[in-house]
PDB file of all heavy atoms in Angstrom:
ATOM      1  N   GLY N   1      27.579  28.072  97.561  1.00  0.00           N
ATOM      2  CA  GLY N   1      26.357  27.542  97.012  1.00  0.00           C
ATOM      3  C   GLY N   1      25.210  27.456  98.012  1.00  0.00           C
ATOM      4  O   GLY N   1      24.011  27.389  97.650  1.00  0.00           O
ATOM      5  N   THR N   2      25.534  27.518  99.321  1.00  0.00           N
ATOM      6  CA  THR N   2      24.483  27.430 100.333  1.00  0.00           C
ATOM      7  C   THR N   2      23.513  28.581 100.243  1.00  0.00           C
ATOM      8  O   THR N   2      22.284  28.400 100.212  1.00  0.00           O
ATOM      9  CB  THR N   2      25.133  27.373 101.768  1.00  0.00           C
ATOM     10  OG1 THR N   2      25.978  26.234 101.841  1.00  0.00           O
ATOM     11  CG2 THR N   2      24.045  27.235 102.820  1.00  0.00           C
ATOM     12  N   ALA N   3      24.074  29.828 100.170  1.00  0.00           N
ATOM     13  CA  ALA N   3      23.189  31.003 100.022  1.00  0.00           C
ATOM     14  C   ALA N   3      22.492  30.981  98.691  1.00  0.00           C
ATOM     15  O   ALA N   3      21.340  31.390  98.564  1.00  0.00           O
ATOM     16  CB  ALA N   3      24.073  32.270 100.204  1.00  0.00           C
ATOM     17  N   ALA N   4      23.211  30.555  97.649  1.00  0.00           N
ATOM     18  CA  ALA N   4      22.604  30.510  96.309  1.00  0.00           C
ATOM     19  C   ALA N   4      21.446  29.528  96.310  1.00  0.00           C
ATOM     20  O   ALA N   4      20.391  29.767  95.725  1.00  0.00           O
ATOM     21  CB  ALA N   4      23.687  30.092  95.275  1.00  0.00           C
ATOM     22  N   ASN N   5      21.628  28.343  96.963  1.00  0.00           N
ATOM     23  CA  ASN N   5      20.576  27.385  97.009  1.00  0.00           C
ATOM     24  C   ASN N   5      19.335  27.931  97.740  1.00  0.00           C
ATOM     25  O   ASN N   5      18.188  27.607  97.346  1.00  0.00           O
ATOM     26  CB  ASN N   5      21.049  26.145  97.763  1.00  0.00           C
ATOM     27  CG  ASN N   5      21.887  25.206  96.938  1.00  0.00           C
ATOM     28  OD1 ASN N   5      22.210  25.514  95.781  1.00  0.00           O
ATOM     29  ND2 ASN N   5      22.339  24.129  97.505  1.00  0.00           N
ATOM     30  N   GLN N   6      19.563  28.700  98.759  1.00  0.00           N
ATOM     31  CA  GLN N   6      18.439  29.259  99.489  1.00  0.00           C
ATOM     32  C   GLN N   6      17.556  30.139  98.603  1.00  0.00           C
ATOM     33  O   GLN N   6      16.336  30.098  98.621  1.00  0.00           O
ATOM     34  CB  GLN N   6      18.908  30.074 100.708  1.00  0.00           C
ATOM     35  CG  GLN N   6      17.817  30.610 101.602  1.00  0.00           C
ATOM     36  CD  GLN N   6      17.005  29.478 102.220  1.00  0.00           C
ATOM     37  OE1 GLN N   6      17.532  28.405 102.575  1.00  0.00           O
ATOM     38  NE2 GLN N   6      15.699  29.710 102.405  1.00  0.00           N
ATOM     39  N   ALA N   7      18.219  30.947  97.762  1.00  0.00           N
ATOM     40  CA  ALA N   7      17.517  31.776  96.813  1.00  0.00           C
ATOM     41  C   ALA N   7      16.766  30.942  95.793  1.00  0.00           C
ATOM     42  O   ALA N   7      15.603  31.234  95.436  1.00  0.00           O
ATOM     43  CB  ALA N   7      18.489  32.753  96.155  1.00  0.00           C
ATOM     44  N   ALA N   8      17.463  29.906  95.254  1.00  0.00           N
ATOM     45  CA  ALA N   8      16.803  29.035  94.331  1.00  0.00           C
ATOM     46  C   ALA N   8      15.614  28.338  94.930  1.00  0.00           C
ATOM     47  O   ALA N   8      14.570  28.129  94.272  1.00  0.00           O
ATOM     48  CB  ALA N   8      17.815  28.012  93.784  1.00  0.00           C
ATOM     49  N   TRP N   9      15.734  27.909  96.161  1.00  0.00           N
ATOM     50  CA  TRP N   9      14.680  27.183  96.853  1.00  0.00           C
ATOM     51  C   TRP N   9      13.414  28.083  97.032  1.00  0.00           C
ATOM     52  O   TRP N   9      12.282  27.582  96.994  1.00  0.00           O
ATOM     53  CB  TRP N   9      15.132  26.655  98.214  1.00  0.00           C
ATOM     54  CG  TRP N   9      14.106  25.792  98.853  1.00  0.00           C
ATOM     55  CD1 TRP N   9      13.243  26.141  99.883  1.00  0.00           C
ATOM     56  CD2 TRP N   9      13.749  24.465  98.494  1.00  0.00           C
ATOM     57  NE1 TRP N   9      12.425  25.071 100.162  1.00  0.00           N
ATOM     58  CE2 TRP N   9      12.709  24.053  99.307  1.00  0.00           C
ATOM     59  CE3 TRP N   9      14.234  23.617  97.515  1.00  0.00           C
ATOM     60  CZ2 TRP N   9      12.140  22.816  99.240  1.00  0.00           C
ATOM     61  CZ3 TRP N   9      13.683  22.327  97.408  1.00  0.00           C
ATOM     62  CH2 TRP N   9      12.645  21.939  98.260  1.00  0.00           C
ATOM     63  N   SER N  10      13.610  29.375  97.182  1.00  0.00           N
ATOM     64  CA  SER N  10      12.493  30.256  97.304  1.00  0.00           C
ATOM     65  C   SER N  10      11.595  30.232  96.054  1.00  0.00           C
ATOM     66  O   SER N  10      10.401  30.494  96.103  1.00  0.00           O
ATOM     67  CB  SER N  10      12.902  31.702  97.626  1.00  0.00           C
ATOM     68  OG  SER N  10      13.627  32.240  96.541  1.00  0.00           O
ATOM     69  N   THR N  11      12.214  29.899  94.921  1.00  0.00           N
ATOM     70  CA  THR N  11      11.471  29.708  93.651  1.00  0.00           C
ATOM     71  C   THR N  11      10.883  28.297  93.587  1.00  0.00           C
ATOM     72  O   THR N  11       9.711  28.084  93.340  1.00  0.00           O
ATOM     73  CB  THR N  11      12.352  30.008  92.437  1.00  0.00           C
ATOM     74  OG1 THR N  11      12.684  31.378  92.464  1.00  0.00           O
ATOM     75  CG2 THR N  11      11.628  29.633  91.158  1.00  0.00           C
ATOM     76  N   LEU N  12      11.717  27.298  93.840  1.00  0.00           N
ATOM     77  CA  LEU N  12      11.281  25.924  93.747  1.00  0.00           C
ATOM     78  C   LEU N  12      10.183  25.557  94.735  1.00  0.00           C
ATOM     79  O   LEU N  12       9.242  24.831  94.398  1.00  0.00           O
ATOM     80  CB  LEU N  12      12.465  24.976  93.945  1.00  0.00           C
ATOM     81  CG  LEU N  12      13.582  24.993  92.878  1.00  0.00           C
ATOM     82  CD1 LEU N  12      14.774  24.128  93.350  1.00  0.00           C
ATOM     83  CD2 LEU N  12      13.047  24.477  91.528  1.00  0.00           C
ATOM     84  N   GLY N  13      10.335  26.061  95.966  1.00  0.00           N
ATOM     85  CA  GLY N  13       9.367  25.773  97.001  1.00  0.00           C
ATOM     86  C   GLY N  13       8.015  26.318  96.740  1.00  0.00           C
ATOM     87  O   GLY N  13       7.011  25.804  97.277  1.00  0.00           O
ATOM     88  N   ASP N  14       7.926  27.343  95.905  1.00  0.00           N
ATOM     89  CA  ASP N  14       6.635  27.917  95.531  1.00  0.00           C
ATOM     90  C   ASP N  14       6.093  27.312  94.239  1.00  0.00           C
ATOM     91  O   ASP N  14       5.149  27.848  93.682  1.00  0.00           O
ATOM     92  CB  ASP N  14       6.759  29.440  95.388  1.00  0.00           C
ATOM     93  CG  ASP N  14       6.983  30.155  96.707  1.00  0.00           C
ATOM     94  OD1 ASP N  14       6.594  29.575  97.763  1.00  0.00           O
ATOM     95  OD2 ASP N  14       7.514  31.269  96.732  1.00  0.00           O
ATOM     96  N   GLY N  15       6.715  26.265  93.769  1.00  0.00           N
ATOM     97  CA  GLY N  15       6.258  25.610  92.544  1.00  0.00           C
ATOM     98  C   GLY N  15       6.782  26.207  91.291  1.00  0.00           C
ATOM     99  O   GLY N  15       6.311  25.945  90.211  1.00  0.00           O
ATOM    100  N   GLY N  16       7.804  27.043  91.411  1.00  0.00           N
ATOM    101  CA  GLY N  16       8.410  27.703  90.270  1.00  0.00           C
ATOM    102  C   GLY N  16       9.248  26.782  89.424  1.00  0.00           C
ATOM    103  O   GLY N  16       9.496  25.630  89.791  1.00  0.00           O
ATOM    104  N   THR N  17       9.762  27.290  88.295  1.00  0.00           N
ATOM    105  CA  THR N  17      10.503  26.421  87.363  1.00  0.00           C
ATOM    106  C   THR N  17      11.946  26.303  87.761  1.00  0.00           C
ATOM    107  O   THR N  17      12.544  27.196  88.422  1.00  0.00           O
ATOM    108  CB  THR N  17      10.416  26.977  85.972  1.00  0.00           C
ATOM    109  OG1 THR N  17      11.150  28.209  85.899  1.00  0.00           O
ATOM    110  CG2 THR N  17       8.993  27.249  85.530  1.00  0.00           C
ATOM    111  N   ALA N  18      12.535  25.185  87.347  1.00  0.00           N
ATOM    112  CA  ALA N  18      13.963  24.960  87.604  1.00  0.00           C
ATOM    113  C   ALA N  18      14.814  26.021  86.928  1.00  0.00           C
ATOM    114  O   ALA N  18      15.808  26.487  87.485  1.00  0.00           O
ATOM    115  CB  ALA N  18      14.351  23.568  87.119  1.00  0.00           C
ATOM    116  N   LEU N  19      14.391  26.477  85.749  1.00  0.00           N
ATOM    117  CA  LEU N  19      15.153  27.500  85.020  1.00  0.00           C
ATOM    118  C   LEU N  19      15.157  28.794  85.784  1.00  0.00           C
ATOM    119  O   LEU N  19      16.228  29.426  85.958  1.00  0.00           O
ATOM    120  CB  LEU N  19      14.550  27.690  83.615  1.00  0.00           C
ATOM    121  CG  LEU N  19      15.374  28.588  82.668  1.00  0.00           C
ATOM    122  CD1 LEU N  19      16.715  27.955  82.361  1.00  0.00           C
ATOM    123  CD2 LEU N  19      14.614  28.891  81.385  1.00  0.00           C
ATOM    124  N   ASP N  20      14.012  29.242  86.303  1.00  0.00           N
ATOM    125  CA  ASP N  20      14.006  30.462  87.088  1.00  0.00           C
ATOM    126  C   ASP N  20      14.823  30.294  88.353  1.00  0.00           C
ATOM    127  O   ASP N  20      15.490  31.196  88.792  1.00  0.00           O
ATOM    128  CB  ASP N  20      12.559  30.802  87.465  1.00  0.00           C
ATOM    129  CG  ASP N  20      11.739  31.378  86.314  1.00  0.00           C
ATOM    130  OD1 ASP N  20      12.342  31.790  85.294  1.00  0.00           O
ATOM    131  OD2 ASP N  20      10.501  31.356  86.404  1.00  0.00           O
ATOM    132  N   ALA N  21      14.742  29.086  88.922  1.00  0.00           N
ATOM    133  CA  ALA N  21      15.455  28.853  90.201  1.00  0.00           C
ATOM    134  C   ALA N  21      16.964  28.954  90.067  1.00  0.00           C
ATOM    135  O   ALA N  21      17.666  29.582  90.853  1.00  0.00           O
ATOM    136  CB  ALA N  21      15.088  27.490  90.758  1.00  0.00           C
ATOM    137  N   VAL N  22      17.554  28.334  88.995  1.00  0.00           N
ATOM    138  CA  VAL N  22      18.990  28.371  88.872  1.00  0.00           C
ATOM    139  C   VAL N  22      19.486  29.769  88.538  1.00  0.00           C
ATOM    140  O   VAL N  22      20.543  30.183  89.002  1.00  0.00           O
ATOM    141  CB  VAL N  22      19.510  27.317  87.851  1.00  0.00           C
ATOM    142  CG1 VAL N  22      19.212  25.915  88.336  1.00  0.00           C
ATOM    143  CG2 VAL N  22      18.944  27.569  86.459  1.00  0.00           C
ATOM    144  N   GLU N  23      18.746  30.503  87.724  1.00  0.00           N
ATOM    145  CA  GLU N  23      19.159  31.889  87.469  1.00  0.00           C
ATOM    146  C   GLU N  23      19.118  32.689  88.756  1.00  0.00           C
ATOM    147  O   GLU N  23      20.111  33.430  89.063  1.00  0.00           O
ATOM    148  CB  GLU N  23      18.249  32.524  86.414  1.00  0.00           C
ATOM    149  CG  GLU N  23      18.641  33.979  86.104  1.00  0.00           C
ATOM    150  CD  GLU N  23      17.658  34.753  85.244  1.00  0.00           C
ATOM    151  OE1 GLU N  23      16.545  34.208  84.979  1.00  0.00           O
ATOM    152  OE2 GLU N  23      18.007  35.880  84.832  1.00  0.00           O
ATOM    153  N   ARG N  24      18.039  32.614  89.477  1.00  0.00           N
ATOM    154  CA  ARG N  24      17.939  33.364  90.698  1.00  0.00           C
ATOM    155  C   ARG N  24      18.994  32.962  91.686  1.00  0.00           C
ATOM    156  O   ARG N  24      19.585  33.806  92.413  1.00  0.00           O
ATOM    157  CB  ARG N  24      16.555  33.179  91.318  1.00  0.00           C
ATOM    158  CG  ARG N  24      16.256  33.968  92.554  1.00  0.00           C
ATOM    159  CD  ARG N  24      14.815  33.799  92.981  1.00  0.00           C
ATOM    160  NE  ARG N  24      14.498  34.669  94.120  1.00  0.00           N
ATOM    161  CZ  ARG N  24      13.272  34.729  94.686  1.00  0.00           C
ATOM    162  NH1 ARG N  24      12.296  33.994  94.210  1.00  0.00           N
ATOM    163  NH2 ARG N  24      13.089  35.502  95.709  1.00  0.00           N
ATOM    164  N   GLY N  25      19.291  31.683  91.761  1.00  0.00           N
ATOM    165  CA  GLY N  25      20.251  31.206  92.737  1.00  0.00           C
ATOM    166  C   GLY N  25      21.657  31.710  92.502  1.00  0.00           C
ATOM    167  O   GLY N  25      22.308  32.249  93.392  1.00  0.00           O
TER     168      GLY N  25
END
């Protein structure tokens, strides 16, 4: 989950949606 979280954070940190973040992660 650490690597997955990093990918999700690249969406969240830019103001993206939680839905896009979890899919990307």
Side-chain angles (χ1 to χ4, degrees):
T2 302
N5 281 3
Q6 185 62 35
W9 186 256
S10 66
T11 295
L12 293 172
D14 290 337
T17 68
L19 188 65
D20 287 342
V22 295
E23 180 189 9
R24 184 175 185 178

